[in-house]
Amino acid sequence: MLHLIIEELKNNKTLNDKDFLRLFTEYTEEDLSFIRELAREVAVSNFGHGIYIRGLIELTNYCKNDCYYCGIRKSNLNVERYRLNLEQVLACCEQGYSVGFRTFVMQGGEDAGIKDQDIVLYIREIKKKFPDCAITLSLGERSEQTYQNFYDAGANRYLLRHETSDHTHYGVLHPAKMSLDNRLNCLHILKKIGFQTGTGIMVGTPEQRVEHLLKDIRFIEQLQPQMIGMGPFLSHCDTPFAHHPNGSFSMSLLLLSIFRLMHPKALIPSTTALASLDPKGREAGILSGANVVMPNLSPVDQRKKYSLYNNKAALGAESAEGLALLDKQLQSIGYHISYDRGDYEA
Ligand code: SAH
């Protein structure tokens, strides 16, 4: 039983390396229940039972990168590529606003076909039409000047998962021309500029070891991001990792709870990947300390094309049209949708 270690994690918001490794390697079902219970107590004491919603607009599935795990990698010739124009983006926001979204997340591949100025224009126009809304970007690695331009145009938040903080493991997941150092440097720049910054990892990627997860925990502990996103790795049939098993559900929940205990005020989503892996994944994430969900607000006819992994949930409670269903699911576990903007509060 690891209850003492788990209580120490709650009280001190950290553990020594040895105890973290014990937690990863020795936890039982019962320990998992215990840590999830403490993590949700911490979440509820900071956020109550309201779950923030973010409308996810998948801007483009063109990408110049070739990450081995990702279904929209450049080398995947089976993807039908698309990018949204300004009118389409504004229509998504319009629809989202009318059902109560006050944060729009523009996510996409690193698409050379959408110029930085185009994105600046999208941001400005969204801000003009929906001045009370927050804009989150998740558009990968850019230059400091570009990030600054996005910020000056009105973007408030930026999500950039570091994916793994171990250089060798990063090299297993990415082609040699991509660099972990560049990605980490981007995160520091984003924070310096003033973005509410999110990072995170996938759980169960090929060759991931518990020592890597420990490094991830330490990196996030140092960075102190405002948002932490994490979900299981899920395989995609048209990638080099097509036959690699999906990440573990229980390990994903364990990590979520660890992050909640270490970062009581962080915004932590119950991710689409978790909901895609298990029919009760969304609820399980919330009951492990998550306090955000990101329903899909992309045009329905494009959604299938943004296939990061197979069987990605994009309908029902995972979609903007399904907010009523989402609220019902949340109510069934004692929670509800919060329609607040949900900015990070220190
Ligand atoms: N181009 C942006 C957005 C990437 S997609 C960027 O580089 O940040 C958003 C996240 O989806 C990624 O950061 C990754 O953690 C996750 N993702 C990608 N492929 C995945 C897969 N096969 N399984 C689970 N998560 C995946």
Side-chain angles (χ1 to χ4, degrees), residues 5 59 145 171 173 278 297 303 309 312 314 340:
I5 291 183
L59 199 61
Q145 187 59 56
L173 305 182
D278 187 290
L297 190 53
R303 273 182 210 171
Y309 42 80
K312 179 165 155 279
D340 291 348

Side-chain angles (χ1 to χ4, degrees), residues 69-70 107-110 138-140 159-161 163 183 202 232-234 273 306 308-309:
Y69 45 82
C70 184
Q107 185 179 87
E110 293 188 25
S138 176
L139 299 169
L159 302 173
L160 186 77
R161 292 186 181 176
E163 318 294 2
R183 202 151 178 100
M202 286 173 286
F233 158 78
L234 299 174
Y306 197 80
L308 304 178
Y309 42 80

Side-chain angles (χ1 to χ4, degrees), residues 57-71:
I57 303 170
E58 294 156 337
L59 199 61
T60 170
N61 69 356
Y62 284 90
C63 193
K64 68 175 164 63
N65 290 329
D66 224 4
C67 310
Y68 300 137
Y69 45 82
C70 184

Side-chain angles (χ1 to χ4, degrees), residues 95-226:
Q95 190 214 340
Y97 193 89
S98 71
V99 295
F101 286 96
R102 293 298 177 267
T103 293
F104 301 118
V105 182
M106 286 194 277
Q107 185 179 87
E110 293 188 25
D111 176 3
I114 303 188
K115 301 270 165 279
D116 291 351
Q117 308 90 280
D118 299 330
I119 292 167
V120 163
L121 180 70
Y122 290 12
I123 297 166
R124 285 218 187 98
E125 290 298 312
I126 296 173
K127 276 282 158 179
K128 210 188 304 168
K129 284 207 152 163
F130 311 97
D132 54 333
C133 291
I135 298 180
T136 305
L137 302 177
S138 176
L139 299 169
E141 298 168 32
R142 312 269 165 159
S143 69
E144 177 160 4
Q145 187 59 56
T146 297
Y147 284 146
Q148 186 70 55
N149 293 345
F150 292 166
Y151 188 78
D152 293 342
N156 310 89
R157 311 179 188 146
Y158 206 103
L159 302 173
L160 186 77
R161 292 186 181 176
H162 64 285
E163 318 294 2
T164 174
S165 34
D166 181 87
H167 282 89
T168 308
H169 187 224
Y170 193 88
V172 172
L173 305 182
H174 303 92
K177 75 174 188 202
M178 292 183 71
S179 125
L180 175 59
D181 289 335
N182 189 53
R183 202 151 178 100
L184 300 183
N185 191 39
C186 286
L187 282 165
H188 290 296
I189 291 169
L190 288 163
K191 269 207 107 183
K192 189 181 76 181
I193 290 174
F195 280 102
Q196 292 172 50
T197 302
T199 193
I201 56 169
M202 286 173 286
V203 179
T205 43
E207 295 185 36
Q208 185 179 60
R209 298 201 313 260
V210 288
E211 290 77 13
H212 302 146
L213 295 174
L214 176 61
K215 272 194 179 180
D216 293 322
I217 283 178
R218 295 294 180 219
F219 169 69
I220 292 177
E221 192 172 36
Q222 268 202 331
L223 182 73
Q224 290 290 319
Q226 284 80 19

